[in-house]
Amino acid sequence: MGVTCVCQVPVAEGKSVQQTVDLLHKKLEQMGAVKQGSFCVDCETYHATGNVSGQPSKLLYVMHNSETPLSCMALFEGGPCLVADGNFDVLMVKLKSHFQNAKGHKVECRGSRYRYCDFLIKVGTVTMSSSARGISVEVEYCPCVVPGDCWNLMKEFMQCFLSTSVPELPSVFAAKPEGLFAPADCVDTMTQYLELFNKLRKLQIPGSNVR
């Protein structure tokens, strides 16, 4: 895995979520990007039970990524993060006396994967309860694992099809210590998806029903 940036793309004026996704696909294909299948990232939310009276319930997020089908990620609100076997979901069922599933809070991001030279691009629709909440774009620069060494190149590439929607350096990378070899990993990618999901949970976009 290289350095990955995950960002939200606003819905184009006068367009629906799907129409905006189609426009992004068209831009990528015009650049010469080749479609390589599909992807899915999902997130289930659990509330910790049995907390001290008066203390807010801590959240646990269990996430899956089709790029790593044999593992999943468990991220506690505010840290830490655990990379676990794919059967971790079965364990969560057995731990239901300690962690309660937040029904109706599952978020999914599904879409198409594209390859352009050393870049892997994923354009997805983020849905919750069959309602589209927004559009995500994930860009991975595969040959590099140090964000500071390739961010300017990634930013220039994203400008080709995102124009003014290009994000700043993700906060998960900005927090890495300077001068030390701190490579990007799958936890950084899933942390960015979690930040995006939590942001989009609160939004409702016109024309967002998924059919």
Short mmCIF file of all heavy atoms in Angstrom, two decimals, residues 13-42:
data_model
loop_
_atom_site.label_atom_id
_atom_site.label_comp_id
_atom_site.label_asym_id
_atom_site.label_seq_id
_atom_site.Cartn_x
_atom_site.Cartn_y
_atom_site.Cartn_z
N GLU A 13 -23.46 21.41 -9.11
CA GLU A 13 -24.67 22.24 -9.10
C GLU A 13 -25.65 21.76 -10.16
O GLU A 13 -25.30 21.57 -11.33
CB GLU A 13 -24.30 23.70 -9.35
CG GLU A 13 -25.46 24.66 -9.20
CD GLU A 13 -25.04 26.11 -9.34
OE1 GLU A 13 -23.82 26.38 -9.42
OE2 GLU A 13 -25.93 26.98 -9.35
N GLY A 14 -26.89 21.54 -9.74
CA GLY A 14 -27.93 21.09 -10.66
C GLY A 14 -27.87 19.62 -10.99
O GLY A 14 -28.65 19.15 -11.83
N LYS A 15 -26.97 18.88 -10.34
CA LYS A 15 -26.82 17.45 -10.61
C LYS A 15 -27.16 16.63 -9.38
O LYS A 15 -27.11 17.12 -8.25
CB LYS A 15 -25.39 17.14 -11.05
CG LYS A 15 -24.89 17.91 -12.26
CD LYS A 15 -25.58 17.45 -13.54
CE LYS A 15 -24.99 18.16 -14.75
NZ LYS A 15 -25.67 17.75 -16.02
N SER A 16 -27.46 15.35 -9.60
CA SER A 16 -27.68 14.43 -8.49
C SER A 16 -26.34 13.80 -8.10
O SER A 16 -25.32 14.01 -8.75
CB SER A 16 -28.66 13.33 -8.89
OG SER A 16 -28.07 12.50 -9.90
N VAL A 17 -26.35 13.02 -7.02
CA VAL A 17 -25.14 12.33 -6.60
C VAL A 17 -24.63 11.42 -7.72
O VAL A 17 -23.45 11.45 -8.08
CB VAL A 17 -25.40 11.49 -5.32
CG1 VAL A 17 -24.23 10.56 -5.02
CG2 VAL A 17 -25.64 12.41 -4.12
N GLN A 18 -25.52 10.61 -8.30
CA GLN A 18 -25.11 9.68 -9.34
C GLN A 18 -24.60 10.40 -10.58
O GLN A 18 -23.62 9.97 -11.21
CB GLN A 18 -26.27 8.75 -9.72
CG GLN A 18 -25.88 7.63 -10.68
CD GLN A 18 -24.74 6.78 -10.14
OE1 GLN A 18 -24.81 6.28 -9.02
NE2 GLN A 18 -23.69 6.59 -10.93
N GLN A 19 -25.23 11.50 -10.95
CA GLN A 19 -24.78 12.26 -12.12
C GLN A 19 -23.39 12.84 -11.89
O GLN A 19 -22.56 12.88 -12.81
CB GLN A 19 -25.78 13.37 -12.44
CG GLN A 19 -27.09 12.87 -13.03
CD GLN A 19 -28.14 13.96 -13.14
OE1 GLN A 19 -28.16 14.92 -12.36
NE2 GLN A 19 -29.01 13.83 -14.12
N THR A 20 -23.11 13.27 -10.66
CA THR A 20 -21.78 13.80 -10.33
C THR A 20 -20.74 12.69 -10.38
O THR A 20 -19.62 12.89 -10.89
CB THR A 20 -21.79 14.45 -8.94
OG1 THR A 20 -22.80 15.48 -8.89
CG2 THR A 20 -20.44 15.08 -8.62
N VAL A 21 -21.09 11.51 -9.87
CA VAL A 21 -20.19 10.35 -9.94
C VAL A 21 -19.88 10.01 -11.40
O VAL A 21 -18.73 9.76 -11.78
CB VAL A 21 -20.80 9.14 -9.22
CG1 VAL A 21 -20.02 7.86 -9.53
CG2 VAL A 21 -20.83 9.37 -7.72
N ASP A 22 -20.91 10.04 -12.25
CA ASP A 22 -20.73 9.74 -13.68
C ASP A 22 -19.80 10.75 -14.33
O ASP A 22 -18.99 10.40 -15.20
CB ASP A 22 -22.09 9.72 -14.40
CG ASP A 22 -22.96 8.55 -13.98
OD1 ASP A 22 -22.41 7.56 -13.44
OD2 ASP A 22 -24.19 8.61 -14.19
N LEU A 23 -19.90 12.02 -13.93
CA LEU A 23 -19.02 13.06 -14.47
C LEU A 23 -17.57 12.79 -14.08
O LEU A 23 -16.65 12.96 -14.90
CB LEU A 23 -19.44 14.43 -13.96
CG LEU A 23 -20.72 15.04 -14.56
CD1 LEU A 23 -21.09 16.33 -13.83
CD2 LEU A 23 -20.53 15.32 -16.05
N LEU A 24 -17.34 12.34 -12.84
CA LEU A 24 -15.99 12.01 -12.39
C LEU A 24 -15.43 10.83 -13.17
O LEU A 24 -14.26 10.82 -13.57
CB LEU A 24 -15.98 11.73 -10.89
CG LEU A 24 -16.20 12.93 -9.96
CD1 LEU A 24 -16.42 12.46 -8.52
CD2 LEU A 24 -15.01 13.87 -10.04
N HIS A 25 -16.28 9.82 -13.40
CA HIS A 25 -15.86 8.66 -14.19
C HIS A 25 -15.43 9.10 -15.60
O HIS A 25 -14.40 8.66 -16.13
CB HIS A 25 -17.00 7.65 -14.31
CG HIS A 25 -17.29 6.91 -13.05
ND1 HIS A 25 -18.38 6.08 -12.91
CD2 HIS A 25 -16.63 6.88 -11.86
CE1 HIS A 25 -18.38 5.56 -11.70
NE2 HIS A 25 -17.34 6.04 -11.04
N LYS A 26 -16.22 10.00 -16.18
CA LYS A 26 -15.94 10.46 -17.53
C LYS A 26 -14.61 11.22 -17.59
O LYS A 26 -13.81 11.02 -18.51
CB LYS A 26 -17.08 11.37 -18.01
CG LYS A 26 -16.97 11.78 -19.47
CD LYS A 26 -18.19 12.59 -19.91
CE LYS A 26 -18.08 12.99 -21.38
NZ LYS A 26 -19.27 13.79 -21.82
N LYS A 27 -14.35 12.06 -16.59
CA LYS A 27 -13.10 12.80 -16.55
C LYS A 27 -11.90 11.86 -16.45
O LYS A 27 -10.89 12.03 -17.13
CB LYS A 27 -13.10 13.77 -15.36
CG LYS A 27 -13.98 15.00 -15.53
CD LYS A 27 -13.86 15.92 -14.33
CE LYS A 27 -14.75 17.14 -14.48
NZ LYS A 27 -14.64 18.04 -13.30
N LEU A 28 -12.02 10.85 -15.58
CA LEU A 28 -10.93 9.89 -15.42
C LEU A 28 -10.68 9.11 -16.70
O LEU A 28 -9.52 8.89 -17.10
CB LEU A 28 -11.26 8.92 -14.27
CG LEU A 28 -11.17 9.52 -12.86
CD1 LEU A 28 -11.79 8.56 -11.84
CD2 LEU A 28 -9.72 9.80 -12.48
N GLU A 29 -11.74 8.69 -17.37
CA GLU A 29 -11.59 7.92 -18.60
C GLU A 29 -11.02 8.77 -19.72
O GLU A 29 -10.23 8.28 -20.55
CB GLU A 29 -12.95 7.32 -18.99
CG GLU A 29 -13.37 6.20 -18.04
CD GLU A 29 -14.84 5.82 -18.17
OE1 GLU A 29 -15.52 6.38 -19.07
OE2 GLU A 29 -15.30 4.97 -17.38
N GLN A 30 -11.37 10.06 -19.75
CA GLN A 30 -10.80 10.96 -20.75
C GLN A 30 -9.31 11.17 -20.52
O GLN A 30 -8.55 11.41 -21.47
CB GLN A 30 -11.54 12.30 -20.73
CG GLN A 30 -12.94 12.25 -21.30
CD GLN A 30 -13.70 13.56 -21.13
OE1 GLN A 30 -13.36 14.40 -20.30
NE2 GLN A 30 -14.75 13.75 -21.94
N MET A 31 -8.87 11.07 -19.27
CA MET A 31 -7.45 11.19 -18.94
C MET A 31 -6.67 9.94 -19.35
O MET A 31 -5.45 9.97 -19.43
CB MET A 31 -7.27 11.40 -17.43
CG MET A 31 -7.70 12.77 -16.94
SD MET A 31 -7.79 12.83 -15.12
CE MET A 31 -6.17 12.20 -14.66
N GLY A 32 -7.40 8.85 -19.56
CA GLY A 32 -6.74 7.59 -19.91
C GLY A 32 -6.75 6.57 -18.80
O GLY A 32 -6.11 5.51 -18.92
N ALA A 33 -7.45 6.85 -17.70
CA ALA A 33 -7.54 5.89 -16.59
C ALA A 33 -8.35 4.67 -17.03
O ALA A 33 -9.31 4.78 -17.79
CB ALA A 33 -8.19 6.54 -15.38
N VAL A 34 -7.95 3.50 -16.54
CA VAL A 34 -8.61 2.25 -16.92
C VAL A 34 -9.38 1.71 -15.72
O VAL A 34 -8.85 1.59 -14.61
CB VAL A 34 -7.56 1.20 -17.37
CG1 VAL A 34 -8.24 -0.12 -17.71
CG2 VAL A 34 -6.78 1.73 -18.56
N LYS A 35 -10.64 1.37 -15.94
CA LYS A 35 -11.48 0.83 -14.87
C LYS A 35 -11.02 -0.57 -14.50
O LYS A 35 -10.79 -1.41 -15.38
CB LYS A 35 -12.94 0.81 -15.30
CG LYS A 35 -13.91 0.46 -14.18
CD LYS A 35 -15.35 0.58 -14.64
CE LYS A 35 -16.32 0.23 -13.53
NZ LYS A 35 -17.74 0.33 -13.97
N GLN A 36 -10.87 -0.82 -13.19
CA GLN A 36 -10.41 -2.13 -12.70
C GLN A 36 -11.32 -2.63 -11.58
O GLN A 36 -10.91 -2.73 -10.44
CB GLN A 36 -8.96 -2.04 -12.21
CG GLN A 36 -7.94 -1.79 -13.30
CD GLN A 36 -6.51 -1.87 -12.81
OE1 GLN A 36 -6.24 -1.72 -11.62
NE2 GLN A 36 -5.58 -2.09 -13.71
N GLY A 37 -12.55 -2.91 -11.90
CA GLY A 37 -13.45 -3.49 -10.92
C GLY A 37 -14.09 -2.48 -9.98
O GLY A 37 -14.15 -1.28 -10.28
N SER A 38 -14.51 -2.99 -8.84
CA SER A 38 -15.23 -2.16 -7.86
C SER A 38 -14.61 -2.31 -6.48
O SER A 38 -13.71 -3.13 -6.27
CB SER A 38 -16.70 -2.55 -7.82
OG SER A 38 -16.84 -3.93 -7.47
N PHE A 39 -15.09 -1.51 -5.53
CA PHE A 39 -14.59 -1.57 -4.16
C PHE A 39 -15.72 -1.28 -3.19
O PHE A 39 -16.78 -0.76 -3.57
CB PHE A 39 -13.46 -0.55 -3.95
CG PHE A 39 -13.93 0.86 -3.75
CD1 PHE A 39 -14.04 1.40 -2.47
CD2 PHE A 39 -14.30 1.65 -4.82
CE1 PHE A 39 -14.50 2.69 -2.27
CE2 PHE A 39 -14.76 2.95 -4.64
CZ PHE A 39 -14.85 3.47 -3.36
N CYS A 40 -15.50 -1.62 -1.93
CA CYS A 40 -16.48 -1.33 -0.88
C CYS A 40 -15.75 -1.12 0.45
O CYS A 40 -14.85 -1.88 0.80
CB CYS A 40 -17.49 -2.47 -0.75
SG CYS A 40 -18.68 -2.25 0.60
N VAL A 41 -16.15 -0.07 1.15
CA VAL A 41 -15.69 0.17 2.51
C VAL A 41 -16.94 0.35 3.37
O VAL A 41 -17.84 1.10 2.98
CB VAL A 41 -14.81 1.45 2.61
CG1 VAL A 41 -14.44 1.74 4.06
CG2 VAL A 41 -13.54 1.30 1.76
N ASP A 42 -17.02 -0.35 4.51
CA ASP A 42 -18.20 -0.18 5.37
C ASP A 42 -17.78 0.04 6.82
O ASP A 42 -16.64 -0.25 7.20
CB ASP A 42 -19.16 -1.35 5.24
CG ASP A 42 -18.59 -2.66 5.77
OD1 ASP A 42 -18.18 -2.70 6.95
OD2 ASP A 42 -18.54 -3.65 5.02
#
